[in-house]
Amino acid sequence: MAQQETDEQINDGFVVDTEDCEERERTHRERGGARPITVVGNPVLHRECQDVTEFDDKLAALIDDMFASQRAAEGVGLAANQIGVDLKVFVYDCPDDEGVRHVGVVCNPVLQELPPERRVLDDSNEGCLSVPTAYASLARPDYAEVHGQDAEGKPIKVRGTGYFARCLQHETDHLYGRLYIDRLSKRDRKDALRQMAEGTPRYETVPND
């Protein structure tokens, strides 16, 4: 699992995450087990997660479970705190706007600040497994670059455009305690929470006390 990801080709310092996607995702998923999803209001979602410092079998097993959980919930990205784990790691299985599939994992991600000339905003609908059944329009840059580490602790860089860029930003936000609804106006946030209250999740969630 981890070896497959660290052996991927590198292009200009960026991981090539578009090759053998089906096999890599399936291998993770079949080794792991799906866990229920935490939802807005759970404390683990509203604080910065701990850095990953041990790149061991326990982390590898967590990543397997995250891929299994992501597939069970029909998501395109999943942060560790969305299954109740206080660690800075996220997985993704997400297409870009050209329909190219990207599959990978990032530990300790840091979103790179774009210079003003590269900031082109894409105002599109966004949803979240931790805010089930709710969607809202949110403007984000249409390009994202994340630096972090792979499952073995080696430095990696991941970049994406369009929908995949939104995914990278969304999942990195999670690990710093921010949900997408926290970026909305008060009115739009209230509307998203109303949608969630009125909807029924299609996957298992962790009830808030």
Side-chain angles (χ1 to χ4, degrees):
M1 178 279 305
Q3 190 63 40
Q4 286 179 315
E5 281 160 359
T6 56
D7 282 348
E8 288 175 334
Q9 293 178 330
I10 303 298
N11 180 20
D12 296 331
F14 290 90
V15 170
V16 176
D17 54 9
T18 57
E19 298 179 351
D20 304 317
C21 289
E22 182 66 28
E23 179 182 354
R24 291 188 293 112
E25 188 275 338
R26 183 177 63 249
T27 299
H28 283 301
R29 173 168 44 86
E30 290 180 348
R31 284 196 303 244
R35 305 190 198 181
I37 303 296
T38 56
V39 297
V40 59
N42 189 308
V44 74
L45 293 173
H46 302 283
R47 61 173 183 261
E48 181 175 346
C49 292
Q50 299 294 313
D51 289 344
V52 176
T53 57
E54 299 292 332
F55 297 86
D56 53 13
D57 290 346
K58 185 176 180 181
L59 176 64
L62 169 64
I63 290 168
D64 289 342
D65 284 356
M66 290 174 68
F67 272 104
S69 302
Q70 176 178 252
R71 174 58 71 92
E74 300 178 15
V76 297
L78 186 76
N81 54 355
Q82 292 185 272
I83 55 170
V85 178
D86 185 13
L87 281 177
K88 283 182 183 166
V89 53
F90 72 78
V91 302
Y92 59 88
D93 182 358
C94 183
D96 58 28
D97 283 359
E98 284 68 51
V100 177
R101 184 179 181 183
H102 299 258
V103 171
V105 56
V106 185
C107 301
N108 302 323
V110 177
L111 185 66
Q112 302 304 295
E113 191 71 27
L114 294 177
E117 64 271 16
R118 296 190 67 183
R119 286 179 58 87
V120 178
L121 293 181
D122 170 30
D123 195 357
S124 297
N125 254 15
E126 191 162 328
C128 179
L129 297 179
S130 292
V131 193
T133 73
Y135 296 90
S137 182
L138 177 63
R140 289 190 189 265
D142 69 352
Y143 173 85
E145 183 177 314
V146 171
H147 295 189
Q149 294 165 280
D150 66 13
E152 292 187 340
K154 297 179 182 178
I156 58 170
K157 297 190 292 183
V158 182
R159 62 185 170 188
T161 59
Y163 187 53
F164 182 42
R166 182 174 295 273
C167 174
L168 293 174
Q169 294 169 81
H170 181 111
E171 301 308 329
T172 300
D173 268 357
H174 266 305
L175 300 177
Y176 290 87
R178 174 172 278 181
L179 299 169
Y180 87 97
I181 60 172
D182 296 329
R183 294 186 175 275
L184 301 175
S185 68
K186 289 183 178 180
R187 183 182 66 181
D188 289 345
R189 187 180 193 276
K190 183 177 180 180
D191 183 63
L193 293 175
R194 177 193 57 77
Q195 292 178 54
M196 175 179 163
E198 293 176 354
T200 301
R202 62 182 181 273
Y203 43 84
E204 184 181 2
T205 61
V206 178
N208 291 330
D209 295 331

